[in-house]
Amino acid sequence: TNQIWTTDPDPAEMALFDSINGIGTNFPVAHAGVAGDLFFLTSLGVRTLSVAAGSTNLQAGDVGTGIDSLVYDSMQLGDDPIGLYYPGQGQYWLAFPGDDTTDVYVYSMPELGKRGSWSRYEFPWVLECATQLDGELYLRANDNLYFVDELATRDETSSGVFVGYQGLVQWPYLDLGSPGTTKMLISCDVAGIGIPFLSVAYDQNNLGSITTPYQISDDTTYGSRVPI
């Protein structure tokens, strides 16, 4: 059962506002207040209080439904997941510490009128706790203290040892207008840092229908577009 309370500096003025059956969580440290809402983890995945309470169930479309299957697999790692809000970047972090690594799902808040997005990271150490100071996010693991740097392009796998990491950016299959009709993709632009490779999947009924990855320029904004 989920209870919603009105709060006040005077404890005598606090009161129970509403009670909603069937909405709750078994993960007491995986929730976080996010921009006037509450993100929390359930056995189904990540949900928000505003949507869950409005629909009186956890099945309705919500911010976490797109990654439910991934989050469920991470729940099997064993340790209690950790949730937090990182206001410096407008992000909700959900970490699943394992035996040697930590799975982290990050939801980036959208601009007004746009949809947010999820990212997934695997840290090469076991996250113990996290906190914030002066707009920076600090993580503790293996008796070391780390802070999140958006300009960093390498992982510190152990004290003083930095290695490059691979990232995967994947879009869903695009309808590009009317579904079920043949379209022609001509080219695209890419802007990034590193050594990117591009591959295109072209048949949603056959996940093996995908072109061989080939290397492209990391920034085509001022050059030739990437032909498809």
Side-chain angles (χ1 to χ4, degrees):
T1 299
N2 179 275
Q3 294 183 349
I4 302 176
W5 287 71
T6 56
T7 59
D8 193 273
D10 182 0
E13 297 297 324
M14 295 184 182
L16 178 63
F17 176 75
D18 196 6
S19 179
I20 307 171
N21 292 325
I23 296 177
T25 178
N26 294 322
F27 308 99
V29 295
H31 66 278
V34 179
D37 205 343
L38 179 70
F39 281 48
F40 62 101
L41 178 64
T42 74
S43 58
L44 299 176
V46 179
R47 298 295 185 265
T48 58
L49 181 60
S50 60
V51 174
S55 59
T56 65
N57 67 76
L58 298 173
Q59 298 285 354
D62 207 338
V63 294
T65 52
I67 60 168
D68 279 350
S69 59
L70 299 176
V71 169
Y72 179 80
D73 290 341
S74 296
M75 288 182 190
Q76 314 311 311
L77 293 178
D79 290 346
D80 290 336
I82 302 171
L84 60 97
Y85 178 45
Y86 179 21
Q89 293 295 326
Q91 296 173 336
Y92 166 70
W93 284 48
L94 179 62
F96 292 88
D99 294 333
D100 301 304
T101 61
T102 302
D103 276 353
V104 180
Y105 299 88
V106 178
Y107 182 75
S108 298
M109 300 297 117
E111 298 178 10
L112 185 63
K114 296 184 178 181
R115 180 174 297 181
S117 59
W118 285 97
S119 303
R120 183 183 184 182
Y121 301 90
E122 182 178 333
F123 292 161
W125 25 257
V126 180
L127 178 65
E128 300 166 3
C129 57
T131 190
Q132 300 171 63
L133 178 64
D134 296 332
E136 300 284 357
L137 178 61
Y138 292 86
L139 312 174
R140 175 172 178 151
N142 303 334
D143 291 328
N144 293 318
L145 190 63
Y146 303 89
F147 78 94
V148 176
D149 184 357
E150 63 180 11
L151 300 179
T153 58
R154 296 183 298 165
D155 270 337
E156 186 175 11
T157 55
S158 59
S159 182
V161 179
F162 296 88
V163 298
Y165 60 87
Q166 290 184 339
L168 174 65
V169 180
Q170 186 173 357
W171 283 266
Y173 286 87
L174 305 176
D175 288 335
L176 301 177
S178 301
T181 60
T182 303
K183 288 96 175 177
M184 179 178 291
L185 298 178
I186 300 175
S187 63
C188 67
D189 263 329
V190 176
I193 298 174
I195 305 175
F197 289 79
L198 176 68
S199 185
V200 179
Y202 50 88
D203 185 354
Q204 193 168 356
N205 293 319
N206 180 8
L207 301 183
S209 298
I210 186 169
T211 61
T212 302
Y214 63 97
Q215 185 176 339
I216 60 176
S217 171
D218 62 353
D219 189 348
T220 65
T221 306
Y222 300 102
S224 300
R225 293 170 61 90
V226 180
I228 296 180

